[in-house]
Amino acid sequence: MKRGKVIFVGAGPGADDLITMRGSRAIAEADIVIWASSLVHPGIVAGARPDALVVDSASEALEDTAIHYRRAAEEGLTVARVHTGDPSIYGATGEQYEMCRQLGLDYETIPGVSAYSATAARMNAEITIPEVSQSFILTRLEGGRTPMPPKETVRSFAAHGATMALYLSAARNKVLQEELLAGGYDPATPCIIGYRVSWPDEMMIRCRLDELSERMREHKLWKHTIVMVGPALAEGHSGTRSHLYHPGFRHEYRAAEPEAQQELRAHGAGAVDLSKEN
């Protein structure tokens, strides 16, 4: 008998056409499909086989899910465990991997489009802008029902001034705004608020950091909401340009134009040869 397997599938942020082809295929071929109707668009699992067992796990604890994993192990079945966004980000997959190991199940993970990526794309925002922000922080506000490591605080991360995406923090938006400001972001720092991004009822809002809590309370955004903050999210960055596509930037596929190369050097960057970089 073949060995049972669990495939953790990233469903993406919401829209049923933002799942990967590999993820969609895994759902279509699975014997058991487990998904949460509270988080995943029903169109994501609409392609399950007619004879597949499709389980809505919205009201289930891990112990309830274990029943289906045990069956897969005993009968050599394949389970598609569908997670919203990307399973590796706040996906509670670690304990499920451990369950698979204990039951002797093979398992693999198919990545998905995360809410932060969909939010940036929806607003045509680039997370990293040359000379503005080249780092990205993904976190959540501490002090909620799920403990955070003591060194991981919004205030300490804000001190870097990098682009930040905050999950699971909408219900405490006033505290969130206060901590971001206390950490060092300027009150005028641009923010993007994304509610149910890519769903039919999505809401996208741009605002200043000092308007963040007011705007979220105005629209009653307590859950299913991601907040992004940082100077790179401003609409338009005059004078900031990626060196990669600059005519003075040399790499293994293109020689640098001498005058443009001098321009880059005068800017203090030099012309980097990508063929020598790992």
Side-chain angles (χ1 to χ4, degrees):
M1 184 179 70
K2 74 172 185 176
R3 189 178 167 107
K5 183 174 185 177
V6 177
I7 305 175
F8 296 90
V9 180
D16 56 9
D17 58 353
L18 278 178
I19 187 173
T20 65
M21 294 176 64
R22 184 180 298 184
S24 183
R25 186 166 59 247
I27 292 170
E29 296 174 354
D31 302 297
I32 302 172
V33 177
I34 303 174
W35 71 300
S37 60
S38 56
L39 298 170
V40 177
H41 191 289
I44 295 289
V45 299
R49 285 180 3 218
D51 62 332
L53 173 63
V54 180
V55 179
D56 183 356
S57 64
S59 61
E60 291 192 347
L62 180 64
E63 288 71 15
D64 300 309
T65 303
I67 297 170
H68 307 294
Y69 285 15
R70 281 196 292 270
R71 181 188 168 197
E74 293 167 359
E75 300 180 25
L77 304 178
T78 297
V79 177
R81 178 65 170 99
V82 184
H83 280 265
T84 184
D86 184 279
S88 67
I89 301 175
Y90 302 120
T93 51
E95 59 261 43
Q96 295 182 75
Y97 296 157
E98 178 59 27
M99 185 188 298
C100 289
R101 289 190 286 268
Q102 292 177 359
L103 292 171
L105 286 164
D106 292 329
Y107 60 94
E108 68 172 283
T109 301
I110 298 174
V113 177
S114 182
Y116 80 81
S117 181
T119 298
R122 182 68 179 83
M123 301 300 280
N124 296 310
E126 187 172 352
I127 291 171
T128 54
I129 298 287
E131 302 173 58
V132 177
S133 177
Q134 290 288 283
S135 301
F136 179 55
I137 298 168
L138 192 157
T139 189
R140 60 178 295 175
L141 180 64
E142 69 278 5
R145 291 190 297 174
T146 301
M148 287 282 285
K151 293 183 179 180
E152 295 185 14
T153 66
V154 166
R155 184 178 299 199
S156 65
F157 288 142
H160 297 284
T163 307
M164 191 185 303
L166 297 120
Y167 285 65
L168 306 168
S169 305
R172 301 171 62 228
N173 52 70
K174 188 174 186 296
V175 177
L176 176 62
Q177 177 179 309
E178 291 171 349
E179 290 301 299
L180 290 168
L181 289 168
Y185 281 117
D186 187 275
T189 303
C191 296
I192 297 174
I193 306 167
Y195 169 76
R196 287 171 64 91
V197 183
S198 82
W199 289 72
D201 58 344
E202 84 165 9
M203 184 185 304
M204 306 297 302
I205 300 170
R206 280 188 179 273
C207 66
R208 292 164 45 115
L209 176 54
D210 57 7
E211 302 169 336
L212 180 66
S213 179
E214 179 183 356
R215 297 299 300 277
M216 294 180 75
R217 285 186 285 113
E218 174 189 352
H219 294 283
K220 298 180 173 57
L221 301 181
W222 316 126
K223 59 181 181 178
H224 303 309
T225 302
I226 184 170
V227 173
M228 298 185 70
V229 58
L233 302 177
E235 293 185 276
H237 287 278
S238 178
T240 58
R241 175 177 176 177
S242 170
H243 291 167
L244 180 59
Y245 299 107
H246 194 289
F249 192 82
R250 182 182 70 247
H251 56 71
E252 62 180 316
Y253 297 104
R254 185 185 71 228
E257 296 178 8
E259 289 186 9
Q261 189 176 54
Q262 289 300 319
E263 178 187 330
L264 273 184
R265 285 176 175 164
H267 196 260
V272 178
D273 187 346
L274 286 184
S275 66
K276 298 179 180 178
E277 293 188 348
N278 293 323

